[in-house]
Structures are given as C-alpha cells and as structure tokens.
Amino acid sequence: IKDQAYVGGKSILNAGGSVIDYLYANKMTGNVMMIEIKAPAAPLLRDYRGNVMAPGPDLSGGVQQLLQARYSFEEEFRQLVERSGEDLDVVSPRCLLIVGTLASLRGRKARRSFELFLNNNRQVDVVTFEPTGGDKLREDLGDDAARSNARLLNDLLFGDRDYAVIGRTPAAPSA
C-alpha cells in the first residue's frame, strides 16, 4: 500500500505518531501487515550477564516500534482508512521485522539466547538478512508465517538483499 506509512498515534498538537517502513495489504482479504526494516549490520544481541545475552537495540527497539505502531493503527483504524479511501481491514495484523544476520551470533550462548527471544516473541515475526548465494532473504528459516513473509518480501522489495532502500522499487534484473 505505502512505504513510510503513518499508522496513527499523533496528539492534537501534531506530535508523536507512528511511521513504519511498509504497510502491505493482502490482495484477497484486505488485512494489513506492517513491515519494519533495520540494518543488516545491526547486532542481534548484546552481553547481559553470565550465560544470558539480551536483544540488541535494533531488535528489541524494532519489536517495540512495531507493537506500538500496531496498537496505534488498531486504535485509529477507522479514521485512517476512511480518509485514505483504501479497502483495508485490521484483523490481528501481522508484524514483520527484518534485522541483522545470523552470522553475527557467535557461539552456543548467542544462538540459544536468540532462539529463546524469537520463540517467546509471539507478536512480531523476525527475519534476518542472510546470504543465499543470490539476492534474496532466506526462505527456509522460521515457522510457516516467517517463511511466507520472507517469500513476500523477496517478491515485493529486494533488488539488492544487503541494501534494501526504503521507498524505492527494486531495479529489474539485468539481462
């Protein structure tokens, strides 16, 4: 539907508000999905204590950003959609965060901490930028929903997997 989509949350003083990188609508149902893209080089984890690592700032902040955007959008959905003229619906909208690479996870402690975070985070699907020998996100990681989201993004957004430019249509493959 829109890149850099406003999804609600402004005060009467025109302050605040939530903007996400992409708002996607399912062609069949009109239900929306919110997509936020962070840097491929963003660290997924940071040291915390002992055998525990905490989510890195872009991972934890990106999840919170999407949750806040989803909350605002659900709260203000009727007014936003009425003004847009789009035929949309909000039925427990999906949220997708693309951030970092699995290669940055060094050692068992890091892999375990990342999996614990992912497997207990039920509201936002997280996909990483991974080399595939081509120019797309890996489509074989995560659950069915995450794999489906990676396929969607491969189809819609990425010309150069490492440098997805927000607001630009990928260039056609050169012959």
Side-chain angles (χ1 to χ4, degrees), residues 32 45 95 126 141 143:
V32 299
L45 299 171
C95 294
V126 176
L141 299 173
D143 62 10

Side-chain angles (χ1 to χ4, degrees), residues 15-129:
S18 297
V19 175
I20 58 167
D21 289 335
Y22 288 93
L23 185 63
Y24 171 79
N26 182 301
K27 290 179 183 179
M28 301 295 288
T29 68
N31 196 27
V32 299
M33 179 169 73
M34 298 176 173
I35 302 167
E36 185 64 30
I37 302 174
K38 302 297 182 193
L44 294 173
L45 299 171
R46 60 182 173 81
D47 286 324
Y48 184 63
R49 22 174 109 140
N51 67 347
V52 176
M53 296 184 81
D58 282 349
L59 177 56
S60 60
V63 166
Q64 190 61 29
Q65 179 183 1
L66 278 164
L67 291 173
Q68 181 62 48
R70 182 172 126 174
Y71 174 80
S72 295
F73 193 62
E74 288 174 324
E75 289 287 310
E76 299 180 34
F77 170 72
R78 301 225 184 288
Q79 292 105 352
L80 290 170
V81 170
E82 186 175 298
R83 285 184 230 135
S84 76
E86 297 284 340
D87 184 19
L88 303 177
D89 205 356
V90 173
V91 180
S92 190
R94 307 280 323 221
C95 294
L96 175 65
L97 174 64
I98 306 170
V99 60
T101 65
L102 293 177
S104 69
L105 301 176
R106 306 266 190 243
R108 185 171 181 228
K109 177 174 82 167
R111 290 189 304 271
R112 182 184 63 237
S113 292
F114 185 65
E115 283 296 326
L116 284 168
F117 178 80
L118 286 185
N119 293 334
N120 288 285
N121 176 28
R122 306 275 187 247
Q123 302 297 311
V124 176
D125 293 321
V126 176
V127 175
T128 57
F129 293 90

